[in-house]
Amino acid sequence: MTLTAPETPARPKPAAPPRRPGPARRTWQKVSPYAYITPFFTLFAAFGLFPLIYTAFVSLYRVELQTPGDMEWRGLGNYTALFGDEYFWVSLRNTFTIGVLSTVPQLIIALGLAHLLNYRMRGRTFLRTAVLLPYATSVAAATLVFAQLFGRDFGLINYALGLVGIDPVDWQNGTVASQIAVSTVVVWRWTGYNALIYLAGMQSIPDELYEAAAMDGASRWRQFFHVTLPGLRPTILFTVIVSTIGATQLFGEPLLLEGSISGGISHQYQTLGLYMYEQGWGFFHLGRAAAIAWVMFLLIVVLVGVNALIVRRRSRKEAGR
């Protein structure tokens, strides 16, 4: 019997060192992130930044719609003429009142709808889709329907008011009534959109918080006020900012309610958007219309900044408790 020595396993070959990428590949790795975001910034510069800067440039000149090539330097003359026009202040006040009348009920109703849709119920998928249908409806079609509903002589709203003994309301000529009519269209169109945003925010709140609150004996209302609302604070801030911007730019609903760019006989529901359109395409003063556009832009910046400042201060106070 012969004994053989066990074979020693062959040593593995050392792994080859990783190949360093060439200069072209290293350059592409550095440049590629910027190449991916270039299309967005290109479109933003072409359709967002350039119109904004050009509008500021035009607002310093006297420009007429019939002769847009003839530009006469006015400096801040368009702005001083704007602030001296009483209808500018009327449209600014109307924009504020219609914004409040449409934004506050809209967000409150949307919050309640989202809270109901967050429960497990039959057909909730259908209901979540149905609340978005008004947002998908054309603003022209929706406003024309509401214009018929708010008709003075044959409108369904006045007919319903007459059943309970209330005299017919002139919804298109009364100041408060016309602003309520415009706000109703806005509330109808945007409530479902905001409700789905709130619903998405509610579904991101951990279930453990509700279970802990239920174990402590908190009712549904207490869970809503002490768990849901604090968890929705960033979402509520977002909807408030978006609704504020939308209210400042309100145009289609007041235009189509009666079909007048003046916002009624006495400008009772003329918003800043309608006032800008009247100056630019009604009176052909493009320079003044550009000044109005920049005033609206600065107003939106101020309102958004005030909202953010209020929320930040409130957060700091709650964090310091």
Side-chain angles (χ1 to χ4, degrees), residues 155-224:
L156 184 60
I157 304 298
N158 279 340
Y159 174 76
L161 293 177
L163 295 177
V164 294
I166 300 177
D167 295 333
V169 179
D170 193 351
W171 295 101
Q172 295 182 347
N173 293 324
T175 301
V176 178
S178 59
Q179 293 180 3
I180 292 176
V182 173
S183 302
T184 303
V185 184
V186 179
V187 171
W188 182 82
R189 289 195 70 240
W190 291 96
T191 298
Y193 173 83
N194 289 303
L196 291 185
I197 294 178
Y198 287 147
L199 179 61
M202 290 178 182
Q203 291 179 345
S204 65
I205 300 175
D207 294 334
E208 291 80 5
L209 298 178
Y210 292 101
E211 294 175 358
M215 291 179 64
D216 291 338
S219 62
R220 292 280 189 178
W221 281 106
R222 287 188 174 274
Q223 292 178 26
F224 178 75

Side-chain angles (χ1 to χ4, degrees), residues 49-314:
L49 188 60
F50 172 74
L52 186 66
I53 297 175
Y54 186 72
T55 302
F57 171 76
V58 173
S59 68
L60 302 177
Y61 289 83
R62 178 178 181 179
V63 186
E64 301 298 324
L65 184 62
Q66 302 92 330
T67 56
D70 298 336
M71 303 179 68
E72 178 185 346
W73 173 259
R74 292 201 63 189
L76 298 178
N78 286 325
Y79 293 92
T80 56
L82 183 66
F83 295 143
D85 188 359
E86 62 172 328
Y87 291 120
F88 166 75
W89 299 106
V90 171
S91 62
L92 180 62
R93 184 180 66 248
N94 293 339
T95 302
F96 175 77
T97 54
I98 293 176
V100 172
L101 289 173
S102 60
T103 301
V104 175
Q106 172 192 151
L107 298 183
I108 293 176
I109 297 173
L111 195 59
L113 281 176
H115 187 61
L116 292 176
L117 293 174
N118 197 31
Y119 287 120
R120 296 180 179 178
M121 62 178 71
R122 292 183 179 180
R124 62 176 181 175
T125 302
F126 170 76
L127 294 175
R128 292 174 182 178
T129 306
V131 297
L132 198 61
L133 290 179
Y135 171 72
T137 306
S138 169
V139 60
T143 307
L144 291 176
V145 170
F146 274 90
Q148 298 298 321
L149 293 176
F150 284 103
R152 183 187 61 182
D153 299 323
F154 304 102
L156 184 60
I157 304 298
N158 279 340
Y159 174 76
L161 293 177
L163 295 177
V164 294
I166 300 177
D167 295 333
V169 179
D170 193 351
W171 295 101
Q172 295 182 347
N173 293 324
T175 301
V176 178
S178 59
Q179 293 180 3
I180 292 176
V182 173
S183 302
T184 303
V185 184
V186 179
V187 171
W188 182 82
R189 289 195 70 240
W190 291 96
T191 298
Y193 173 83
N194 289 303
L196 291 185
I197 294 178
Y198 287 147
L199 179 61
M202 290 178 182
Q203 291 179 345
S204 65
I205 300 175
D207 294 334
E208 291 80 5
L209 298 178
Y210 292 101
E211 294 175 358
M215 291 179 64
D216 291 338
S219 62
R220 292 280 189 178
W221 281 106
R222 287 188 174 274
Q223 292 178 26
F224 178 75
F225 283 106
H226 296 286
V227 178
T228 304
L229 287 183
L232 285 180
R233 185 172 299 155
T235 308
I236 294 175
L237 174 62
F238 170 77
T239 55
V240 168
I241 291 176
V242 172
S243 300
T244 301
I245 295 174
T248 307
Q249 298 176 338
L250 195 62
F251 175 76
E253 289 84 351
L255 174 64
L256 296 172
L257 182 66
E258 192 183 6
S260 172
I261 62 175
S262 61
I265 298 176
S266 58
H267 299 255
Q268 66 270 15
Y269 61 90
Q270 185 182 48
T271 59
L272 284 175
L274 269 184
Y275 180 69
M276 178 184 66
Y277 186 83
E278 181 186 43
Q279 292 295 320
W281 285 264
F283 300 148
F284 311 124
H285 303 322
L286 292 184
R288 188 174 295 187
I292 299 170
W294 253 86
V295 169
M296 293 173 60
F297 171 73
L298 296 177
L299 180 62
I300 290 173
V301 171
V302 171
L303 292 176
V304 171
V306 169
N307 285 332
L309 183 62
I310 293 174
V311 172
R312 182 178 300 178
R313 286 187 175 182
R314 186 172 180 179

